[in-house]
């Protein structure tokens, strides 16, 4: 019985370490307090990040050049919920309950899903050019809403954490310092 040889490049080793580290941390945080919204959001963000890491790695494998475009589109599909989950985490931490009004949460979920659908379509990356055996996606106009979405939610995350930190005292301030 022969097994296929696995070429462990430095990039693959780093990917495996990152996946295992993120997964262990996500499970530990979730098990620590599975009823906490902060812990649930953190764990979900970690799982989405693992998915994004795997898809991004696959998208640039030379052996998969023919399917690189779909993998690259999938990588930006996973990037959208990372941005919105980061905002939800920054807005919720260190509380155990979600602080957003349900209407705002549903709007964020709706916008995230719309951006994900846009990202998987040819409206974000229309085609793929292979240059020096490396995939180079050609962006289309759909990349603009994704970029705005990512910038807005990332900026809101930073602003929210800084504002919370400035107003916090005692244990809450220490918890926020750790989160930052």
């Amino acid at each position: 019985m022969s097994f296929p040889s696995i070429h462990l490049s430095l990039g693959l080793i780093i990917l495996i370490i990152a996946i295992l580290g993120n997964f262990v941390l996500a499970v530990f945080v979730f098990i620590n307090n599975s009823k906490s919204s902060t812990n649930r959001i953190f764990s979900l963000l970690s799982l989405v990040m693992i998915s994004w890491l795997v898809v991004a790695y696959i998208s640039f494998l030379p052996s998969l050049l023919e399917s690189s475009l779909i993998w690259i589109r999938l990588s930006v599909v996973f990037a959208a919920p990372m941005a919105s989950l980061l905002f939800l985490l920054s807005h919720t931490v260190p509380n155990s309950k979600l602080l957003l009004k349900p209407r705002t949460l549903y709007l964020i979920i709706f916008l995230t899903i719309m951006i994900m659908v846009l990202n998987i379509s040819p409206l974000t990356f229309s085609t793929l050019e292979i240059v020096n055996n490396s995939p180079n996606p050609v962006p289309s106009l759909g990349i603009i809403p994704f970029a705005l979405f990512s910038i807005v939610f990332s900026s809101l995350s930073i602003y929210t954490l800084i504002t919370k930190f400035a107003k916090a005292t005692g244990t809450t301030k220490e918890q926020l310092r750790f989160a930052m």
Side-chain angles (χ1 to χ4, degrees):
M1 178 180 207
S2 73
F3 293 97
S5 64
I6 297 175
H7 176 69
L8 290 178
S9 67
L10 181 59
L12 182 57
I13 292 169
I14 292 170
L15 175 67
I16 292 168
I17 291 169
I19 289 169
L20 290 175
N22 272 301
F23 184 74
V24 168
L25 188 59
V27 169
F28 176 76
V29 166
F30 185 78
I31 288 173
N32 188 43
N33 186 357
S34 62
K35 294 182 182 188
S36 166
S37 292
T38 295
N39 291 26
R40 288 179 176 189
I41 294 167
F42 179 87
S43 297
L44 186 57
L45 177 59
S46 295
L47 294 176
V48 169
M49 193 180 321
I50 289 169
S51 302
W52 175 79
L53 284 168
V54 169
V55 170
Y57 179 81
I58 290 171
S59 71
F60 288 97
L61 288 176
S63 59
L64 297 175
L65 279 178
E66 296 144 9
S67 61
S68 287
L69 183 57
I70 190 67
W71 291 108
I72 291 167
R73 286 178 183 160
L74 277 172
S75 72
V76 293
V77 165
F78 285 113
M82 280 198 307
S84 55
L85 285 168
L86 181 63
F87 169 71
L88 290 175
L89 182 64
S90 70
H91 194 273
T92 306
V93 73
N95 300 301
S96 61
K97 298 280 183 204
L98 199 59
L99 302 176
L100 286 175
K101 295 177 184 173
R103 188 175 186 180
T104 305
L105 178 62
Y106 295 139
L107 178 62
I108 291 170
I109 292 169
F110 175 76
L111 289 173
T112 302
I113 291 169
M114 294 307 298
I115 293 294
M116 291 171 74
V117 168
L118 179 67
N119 286 350
I120 198 67
S121 78
L123 296 172
T124 301
F125 293 113
S126 59
T127 188
L128 187 71
E129 295 176 353
I130 307 296
V131 179
N132 296 328
N133 208 28
S134 179
N136 292 311
V138 177
S140 291
L141 290 177
I143 200 76
I144 295 169
F146 167 68
L148 292 172
F149 178 88
S150 296
I151 290 167
V152 166
F153 277 105
S154 297
S155 300
L156 283 172
S157 300
I158 293 167
Y159 174 79
T160 302
L161 280 173
I162 290 171
T163 304
K164 276 185 168 186
F165 184 76
K167 293 177 182 177
T169 59
T171 306
T172 303
K173 191 162 195 131
E174 290 306 311
Q175 289 173 327
L176 287 168
R177 181 173 294 149
F178 181 73
M180 293 171 82

